[in-house]
Amino acid sequence: MADMDDVREGKQYHTDKPQETEGFFLKGSNALDWGMKNRLARIFNPRSGRTVMLAIDHGYFQGAVTGLERVDINILPLVPYADTLMLTRGILRSVVPPSLTQSIVLRASGGASILKELSNEEIAVDIEDSIRLNVCAMAVQVFIGGEYEKESIINMTRLVDAGTRYGIPTLAVTAVGKDMVRDARYFRLATRICAELGAHYIKTYYVEDGFETVTASCPVPIVMAGGKKIPEIDALTMAYNAVQQGAAGVDMGRNIFQSEAPEAMIQAVRAVVHDDETPDRALDLFNTLKHKG
Ligand code: R5P
């Protein structure tokens, strides 16, 4: 008789207050379905609108790179400071504890190694396994101008189609061939193609000249790739410039896990990304944490 007990006068319908319909905080993402938005909100912090993704997926084509020889020892202590961990399903299942609460972005393309043509990739994870692993996005390499340009674009569109069926976003990673020019014109082209063909967010490199035109002309969020190891102040400056020029965060690997003090470095990167800390102040934080730790 529970229903009868609840029938009484004075219910609080708040008829004078229209229900609020909030817009979604991420650029270009308002028309997505609830599950997809919820996954994106686990990657991007709704307070800052940005993310610190820790990229440790390098092994899928490079093997055990410096700093990733022992993910259990070198990387797991960094995870609490990351919003998201970007990695392969092999490392996820074999090393990462399932009690982790950070979101996972799963490397979903592969098939080439550093010994061969890198653009010759395919989709390397079934959508069912992405669902089983409860990932918040799937990442695919897109080689605009590369030898297997078309194949890599089609990999991306197939992943977008599969992910859309189940509410899992696709991260397009704009991969640059060894001999290709890395400038704003190239990245405008690459990021826009990925967005036009359905990527939900895009990872691209920072360029000194005109990066703001790359973020402005891309209708979905861009995260900055870290690239090869550079001095801490340079990496922090690059991250600072990228977010100030419109990036929605970073997806950084070597500049964190190859730092002389990785735990201090990821916290300094967080300060730049989420708190708009300047590179100099973030470097002070890095040095303080390094000496403490
Ligand atoms: C390469 O394509 C991998 O996806 C890495 O995730 C990417 O290069 C980011 O790592 P890093 O900051 O070391 O360049």
Side-chain angles (χ1 to χ4, degrees), residues 54-58 60-62 86 107 139 141 173 175 203 205 224-229 251-258:
L54 178 61
I56 59 159
D57 60 322
H58 308 58
Y60 94 94
F61 71 105
Q62 290 181 285
M86 177 186 182
R107 162 59 59 185
Q141 223 73 347
V173 180
K203 166 171 163 174
Y205 289 95
M224 184 205 78
K228 68 176 193 295
K229 174 76 178 75
D251 186 11
M252 212 178 239
R254 287 163 289 178
N255 277 292
I256 291 173
F257 62 72
Q258 291 179 353

Side-chain angles (χ1 to χ4, degrees), residues 107-269:
R107 162 59 59 185
S109 64
S113 82
I114 42 170
L115 305 178
K116 295 273 185 121
E117 167 54 42
L118 286 182
S119 64
N120 192 9
E121 286 194 348
E122 294 195 14
I123 294 176
V125 173
D126 196 291
I127 184 67
E128 280 183 7
D129 212 26
S130 299
I131 297 165
R132 197 175 288 120
L133 289 167
N134 199 28
V135 307
C136 283
M138 301 176 290
V140 56
Q141 223 73 347
V142 180
F143 295 87
I144 302 299
E147 193 173 330
Y148 290 87
E149 174 187 82
K150 186 182 90 177
E151 289 82 353
S152 72
I153 292 174
I154 297 305
N155 288 341
M156 187 200 82
T157 59
R158 293 210 168 121
L159 211 56
V160 169
D161 286 334
T164 300
R165 280 200 289 280
Y166 300 102
I168 303 182
T170 293
L171 164 63
V173 180
T174 59
V176 186
K178 285 183 201 122
D179 305 322
M180 284 156 64
V181 183
R182 294 181 180 209
D183 61 11
R185 189 176 178 203
Y186 173 79
F187 289 121
R188 281 196 303 268
L189 175 74
T191 57
R192 185 63 179 253
I193 289 173
C194 293
E196 296 262 357
L197 291 175
H200 300 99
Y201 75 109
I202 298 167
K203 166 171 163 174
T204 197
Y205 289 95
Y206 181 73
V207 286
E208 293 281 340
D209 197 8
F211 185 74
E212 69 283 2
T213 66
V214 180
T215 57
S217 59
C218 181
V220 295
I222 280 184
V223 291
M224 184 205 78
K228 68 176 193 295
K229 174 76 178 75
I230 51 180
E232 275 74 9
I233 183 62
D234 295 343
L236 292 168
T237 303
M238 183 168 75
Y240 178 80
N241 290 339
V243 295
Q244 296 304 320
Q245 291 167 28
V250 300
D251 186 11
M252 212 178 239
R254 287 163 289 178
N255 277 292
I256 291 173
F257 62 72
Q258 291 179 353
S259 166
E260 53 181 309
E263 274 190 67
M265 186 58 179
I266 193 168
Q267 290 176 77
V269 171

